[in-house]
PDB file of all heavy atoms in Angstrom:
ATOM      1  N   GLY A 211     -15.255  19.645 -14.260  1.00 81.00           N
ATOM      2  CA  GLY A 211     -14.088  19.543 -15.127  1.00 81.00           C
ATOM      3  C   GLY A 211     -12.867  20.265 -14.586  1.00 81.00           C
ATOM      4  O   GLY A 211     -11.758  20.083 -15.071  1.00 81.00           O
ATOM      5  N   VAL A 212     -13.054  21.098 -13.557  1.00 80.00           N
ATOM      6  CA  VAL A 212     -11.959  21.876 -12.973  1.00 80.00           C
ATOM      7  C   VAL A 212     -11.109  21.026 -12.050  1.00 80.00           C
ATOM      8  O   VAL A 212      -9.882  21.063 -12.084  1.00 80.00           O
ATOM      9  CB  VAL A 212     -12.518  23.100 -12.202  1.00 80.00           C
ATOM     10  CG1 VAL A 212     -11.432  23.789 -11.388  1.00 80.00           C
ATOM     11  CG2 VAL A 212     -13.195  24.063 -13.153  1.00 80.00           C
ATOM     12  N   ALA A 213     -11.767  20.268 -11.195  1.00 83.00           N
ATOM     13  CA  ALA A 213     -11.074  19.442 -10.193  1.00 83.00           C
ATOM     14  C   ALA A 213     -12.052  18.387  -9.708  1.00 83.00           C
ATOM     15  O   ALA A 213     -13.268  18.536  -9.850  1.00 83.00           O
ATOM     16  CB  ALA A 213     -10.608  20.310  -9.029  1.00 83.00           C
ATOM     17  N   PRO A 214     -11.546  17.313  -9.118  1.00 89.00           N
ATOM     18  CA  PRO A 214     -12.449  16.306  -8.558  1.00 89.00           C
ATOM     19  C   PRO A 214     -13.386  16.928  -7.523  1.00 89.00           C
ATOM     20  O   PRO A 214     -12.955  17.732  -6.697  1.00 89.00           O
ATOM     21  CB  PRO A 214     -11.497  15.299  -7.908  1.00 89.00           C
ATOM     22  CG  PRO A 214     -10.180  15.516  -8.570  1.00 89.00           C
ATOM     23  CD  PRO A 214     -10.138  16.981  -8.920  1.00 89.00           C
ATOM     24  N   CYS A 215     -14.660  16.565  -7.601  1.00 92.00           N
ATOM     25  CA  CYS A 215     -15.681  17.162  -6.726  1.00 92.00           C
ATOM     26  C   CYS A 215     -16.413  16.096  -5.925  1.00 92.00           C
ATOM     27  O   CYS A 215     -16.740  15.030  -6.442  1.00 92.00           O
ATOM     28  CB  CYS A 215     -16.723  17.905  -7.558  1.00 92.00           C
ATOM     29  SG  CYS A 215     -16.098  19.308  -8.484  1.00 92.00           S
ATOM     30  N   TRP A 216     -16.693  16.435  -4.691  1.00 95.00           N
ATOM     31  CA  TRP A 216     -17.484  15.610  -3.794  1.00 95.00           C
ATOM     32  C   TRP A 216     -18.621  16.448  -3.248  1.00 95.00           C
ATOM     33  O   TRP A 216     -18.487  17.663  -3.077  1.00 95.00           O
ATOM     34  CB  TRP A 216     -16.656  15.147  -2.600  1.00 95.00           C
ATOM     35  CG  TRP A 216     -15.619  14.135  -2.894  1.00 95.00           C
ATOM     36  CD1 TRP A 216     -15.708  12.783  -2.706  1.00 95.00           C
ATOM     37  CD2 TRP A 216     -14.307  14.357  -3.403  1.00 95.00           C
ATOM     38  NE1 TRP A 216     -14.536  12.168  -3.083  1.00 95.00           N
ATOM     39  CE2 TRP A 216     -13.667  13.115  -3.512  1.00 95.00           C
ATOM     40  CE3 TRP A 216     -13.615  15.503  -3.791  1.00 95.00           C
ATOM     41  CZ2 TRP A 216     -12.369  12.981  -3.975  1.00 95.00           C
ATOM     42  CZ3 TRP A 216     -12.319  15.378  -4.261  1.00 95.00           C
ATOM     43  CH2 TRP A 216     -11.715  14.123  -4.346  1.00 95.00           C
ATOM     44  N   VAL A 217     -19.735  15.807  -2.930  1.00 95.00           N
ATOM     45  CA  VAL A 217     -20.792  16.446  -2.157  1.00 95.00           C
ATOM     46  C   VAL A 217     -20.488  16.120  -0.703  1.00 95.00           C
ATOM     47  O   VAL A 217     -20.188  14.972  -0.358  1.00 95.00           O
ATOM     48  CB  VAL A 217     -22.192  15.944  -2.574  1.00 95.00           C
ATOM     49  CG1 VAL A 217     -23.264  16.448  -1.610  1.00 95.00           C
ATOM     50  CG2 VAL A 217     -22.499  16.404  -3.991  1.00 95.00           C
ATOM     51  N   PHE A 218     -20.541  17.125   0.138  1.00 93.00           N
ATOM     52  CA  PHE A 218     -20.189  17.015   1.559  1.00 93.00           C
ATOM     53  C   PHE A 218     -21.451  17.313   2.362  1.00 93.00           C
ATOM     54  O   PHE A 218     -22.023  18.386   2.232  1.00 93.00           O
ATOM     55  CB  PHE A 218     -19.091  18.042   1.849  1.00 93.00           C
ATOM     56  CG  PHE A 218     -18.398  17.918   3.168  1.00 93.00           C
ATOM     57  CD1 PHE A 218     -18.305  16.721   3.848  1.00 93.00           C
ATOM     58  CD2 PHE A 218     -17.789  19.037   3.716  1.00 93.00           C
ATOM     59  CE1 PHE A 218     -17.631  16.629   5.059  1.00 93.00           C
ATOM     60  CE2 PHE A 218     -17.105  18.965   4.926  1.00 93.00           C
ATOM     61  CZ  PHE A 218     -17.024  17.758   5.592  1.00 93.00           C
ATOM     62  N   THR A 219     -21.912  16.345   3.140  1.00 93.00           N
ATOM     63  CA  THR A 219     -23.165  16.516   3.866  1.00 93.00           C
ATOM     64  C   THR A 219     -23.075  16.036   5.304  1.00 93.00           C
ATOM     65  O   THR A 219     -22.372  15.071   5.592  1.00 93.00           O
ATOM     66  CB  THR A 219     -24.320  15.785   3.146  1.00 93.00           C
ATOM     67  OG1 THR A 219     -25.538  15.996   3.876  1.00 93.00           O
ATOM     68  CG2 THR A 219     -24.073  14.293   3.009  1.00 93.00           C
ATOM     69  N   ALA A 220     -23.806  16.707   6.174  1.00 90.00           N
ATOM     70  CA  ALA A 220     -23.919  16.274   7.570  1.00 90.00           C
ATOM     71  C   ALA A 220     -24.969  15.176   7.700  1.00 90.00           C
ATOM     72  O   ALA A 220     -25.146  14.609   8.770  1.00 90.00           O
ATOM     73  CB  ALA A 220     -24.294  17.458   8.463  1.00 90.00           C
ATOM     74  N   SER A 221     -25.639  14.888   6.621  1.00 94.00           N
ATOM     75  CA  SER A 221     -26.668  13.856   6.601  1.00 94.00           C
ATOM     76  C   SER A 221     -26.081  12.543   6.079  1.00 94.00           C
ATOM     77  O   SER A 221     -24.886  12.427   5.867  1.00 94.00           O
ATOM     78  CB  SER A 221     -27.837  14.299   5.721  1.00 94.00           C
ATOM     79  OG  SER A 221     -28.515  15.389   6.293  1.00 94.00           O
ATOM     80  N   ALA A 222     -26.966  11.595   5.850  1.00 96.00           N
ATOM     81  CA  ALA A 222     -26.567  10.304   5.280  1.00 96.00           C
ATOM     82  C   ALA A 222     -26.362  10.452   3.771  1.00 96.00           C
ATOM     83  O   ALA A 222     -27.026  11.270   3.123  1.00 96.00           O
ATOM     84  CB  ALA A 222     -27.642   9.263   5.566  1.00 96.00           C
ATOM     85  N   SER A 223     -25.485   9.644   3.214  1.00 97.00           N
ATOM     86  CA  SER A 223     -25.217   9.707   1.771  1.00 97.00           C
ATOM     87  C   SER A 223     -26.488   9.437   0.962  1.00 97.00           C
ATOM     88  O   SER A 223     -26.675  10.011  -0.116  1.00 97.00           O
ATOM     89  CB  SER A 223     -24.118   8.730   1.382  1.00 97.00           C
ATOM     90  OG  SER A 223     -24.488   7.405   1.717  1.00 97.00           O
ATOM     91  N   GLU A 224     -27.362   8.590   1.480  1.00 98.00           N
ATOM     92  CA  GLU A 224     -28.614   8.283   0.778  1.00 98.00           C
ATOM     93  C   GLU A 224     -29.456   9.550   0.595  1.00 98.00           C
ATOM     94  O   GLU A 224     -30.102   9.733  -0.443  1.00 98.00           O
ATOM     95  CB  GLU A 224     -29.420   7.225   1.532  1.00 98.00           C
ATOM     96  CG  GLU A 224     -28.722   5.888   1.672  1.00 98.00           C
ATOM     97  CD  GLU A 224     -27.805   5.776   2.897  1.00 98.00           C
ATOM     98  OE1 GLU A 224     -27.463   6.803   3.533  1.00 98.00           O
ATOM     99  OE2 GLU A 224     -27.403   4.646   3.217  1.00 98.00           O
ATOM    100  N   HIS A 225     -29.450  10.402   1.603  1.00 98.00           N
ATOM    101  CA  HIS A 225     -30.183  11.666   1.528  1.00 98.00           C
ATOM    102  C   HIS A 225     -29.584  12.541   0.418  1.00 98.00           C
ATOM    103  O   HIS A 225     -30.308  13.062  -0.433  1.00 98.00           O
ATOM    104  CB  HIS A 225     -30.136  12.384   2.882  1.00 98.00           C
ATOM    105  CG  HIS A 225     -30.460  13.844   2.803  1.00 98.00           C
ATOM    106  ND1 HIS A 225     -31.743  14.294   2.569  1.00 98.00           N
ATOM    107  CD2 HIS A 225     -29.672  14.940   2.913  1.00 98.00           C
ATOM    108  CE1 HIS A 225     -31.730  15.620   2.547  1.00 98.00           C
ATOM    109  NE2 HIS A 225     -30.498  16.033   2.753  1.00 98.00           N
ATOM    110  N   ALA A 226     -28.264  12.705   0.431  1.00 97.00           N
ATOM    111  CA  ALA A 226     -27.615  13.532  -0.589  1.00 97.00           C
ATOM    112  C   ALA A 226     -27.875  12.968  -1.982  1.00 97.00           C
ATOM    113  O   ALA A 226     -28.145  13.721  -2.922  1.00 97.00           O
ATOM    114  CB  ALA A 226     -26.118  13.629  -0.311  1.00 97.00           C
ATOM    115  N   ALA A 227     -27.831  11.647  -2.124  1.00 98.00           N
ATOM    116  CA  ALA A 227     -28.086  11.026  -3.425  1.00 98.00           C
ATOM    117  C   ALA A 227     -29.510  11.318  -3.899  1.00 98.00           C
ATOM    118  O   ALA A 227     -29.728  11.584  -5.094  1.00 98.00           O
ATOM    119  CB  ALA A 227     -27.839   9.520  -3.351  1.00 98.00           C
ATOM    120  N   ARG A 228     -30.483  11.276  -2.981  1.00 98.00           N
ATOM    121  CA  ARG A 228     -31.866  11.601  -3.370  1.00 98.00           C
ATOM    122  C   ARG A 228     -31.973  13.064  -3.798  1.00 98.00           C
ATOM    123  O   ARG A 228     -32.652  13.379  -4.786  1.00 98.00           O
ATOM    124  CB  ARG A 228     -32.826  11.293  -2.226  1.00 98.00           C
ATOM    125  CG  ARG A 228     -33.069   9.798  -2.038  1.00 98.00           C
ATOM    126  CD  ARG A 228     -34.195   9.505  -1.058  1.00 98.00           C
ATOM    127  NE  ARG A 228     -33.861   9.755   0.316  1.00 98.00           N
ATOM    128  CZ  ARG A 228     -33.333   8.860   1.159  1.00 98.00           C
ATOM    129  NH1 ARG A 228     -33.058   7.628   0.740  1.00 98.00           N
ATOM    130  NH2 ARG A 228     -33.073   9.175   2.399  1.00 98.00           N
ATOM    131  N   CYS A 229     -31.305  13.966  -3.078  1.00 97.00           N
ATOM    132  CA  CYS A 229     -31.315  15.383  -3.451  1.00 97.00           C
ATOM    133  C   CYS A 229     -30.693  15.572  -4.833  1.00 97.00           C
ATOM    134  O   CYS A 229     -31.242  16.289  -5.678  1.00 97.00           O
ATOM    135  CB  CYS A 229     -30.546  16.211  -2.418  1.00 97.00           C
ATOM    136  SG  CYS A 229     -31.314  16.273  -0.782  1.00 97.00           S
ATOM    137  N   MET A 230     -29.558  14.926  -5.061  1.00 97.00           N
ATOM    138  CA  MET A 230     -28.863  15.040  -6.340  1.00 97.00           C
ATOM    139  C   MET A 230     -29.733  14.497  -7.479  1.00 97.00           C
ATOM    140  O   MET A 230     -29.793  15.098  -8.558  1.00 97.00           O
ATOM    141  CB  MET A 230     -27.524  14.319  -6.268  1.00 97.00           C
ATOM    142  CG  MET A 230     -26.551  14.983  -5.283  1.00 97.00           C
ATOM    143  SD  MET A 230     -25.186  13.914  -4.780  1.00 97.00           S
ATOM    144  CE  MET A 230     -24.250  13.806  -6.300  1.00 97.00           C
ATOM    145  N   ALA A 231     -30.414  13.387  -7.238  1.00 98.00           N
ATOM    146  CA  ALA A 231     -31.294  12.808  -8.259  1.00 98.00           C
ATOM    147  C   ALA A 231     -32.440  13.760  -8.580  1.00 98.00           C
ATOM    148  O   ALA A 231     -32.777  13.966  -9.756  1.00 98.00           O
ATOM    149  CB  ALA A 231     -31.822  11.451  -7.805  1.00 98.00           C
ATOM    150  N   LYS A 232     -33.047  14.343  -7.546  1.00 97.00           N
ATOM    151  CA  LYS A 232     -34.158  15.280  -7.758  1.00 97.00           C
ATOM    152  C   LYS A 232     -33.707  16.486  -8.580  1.00 97.00           C
ATOM    153  O   LYS A 232     -34.450  16.988  -9.415  1.00 97.00           O
ATOM    154  CB  LYS A 232     -34.742  15.746  -6.421  1.00 97.00           C
ATOM    155  CG  LYS A 232     -35.516  14.696  -5.657  1.00 97.00           C
ATOM    156  CD  LYS A 232     -36.865  14.407  -6.266  1.00 97.00           C
ATOM    157  CE  LYS A 232     -37.807  15.574  -6.050  1.00 97.00           C
ATOM    158  NZ  LYS A 232     -39.129  15.375  -6.593  1.00 97.00           N
ATOM    159  N   LEU A 233     -32.485  16.955  -8.330  1.00 96.00           N
ATOM    160  CA  LEU A 233     -31.948  18.100  -9.062  1.00 96.00           C
ATOM    161  C   LEU A 233     -31.570  17.757 -10.503  1.00 96.00           C
ATOM    162  O   LEU A 233     -31.422  18.643 -11.335  1.00 96.00           O
ATOM    163  CB  LEU A 233     -30.692  18.634  -8.355  1.00 96.00           C
ATOM    164  CG  LEU A 233     -30.918  19.400  -7.074  1.00 96.00           C
ATOM    165  CD1 LEU A 233     -29.607  19.544  -6.314  1.00 96.00           C
ATOM    166  CD2 LEU A 233     -31.534  20.767  -7.370  1.00 96.00           C
ATOM    167  N   GLY A 234     -31.363  16.466 -10.771  1.00 97.00           N
ATOM    168  CA  GLY A 234     -30.919  16.045 -12.091  1.00 97.00           C
ATOM    169  C   GLY A 234     -29.407  16.106 -12.250  1.00 97.00           C
ATOM    170  O   GLY A 234     -28.900  16.170 -13.365  1.00 97.00           O
TER     171      GLY A 234
END
Side-chain angles (χ1 to χ4, degrees):
V212 170
C215 297
W216 289 261
V217 171
F218 192 26
T219 181
S221 293
S223 59
E224 298 87 346
H225 162 72
R228 286 190 287 270
C229 293
M230 294 162 69
K232 289 286 289 181
L233 286 165

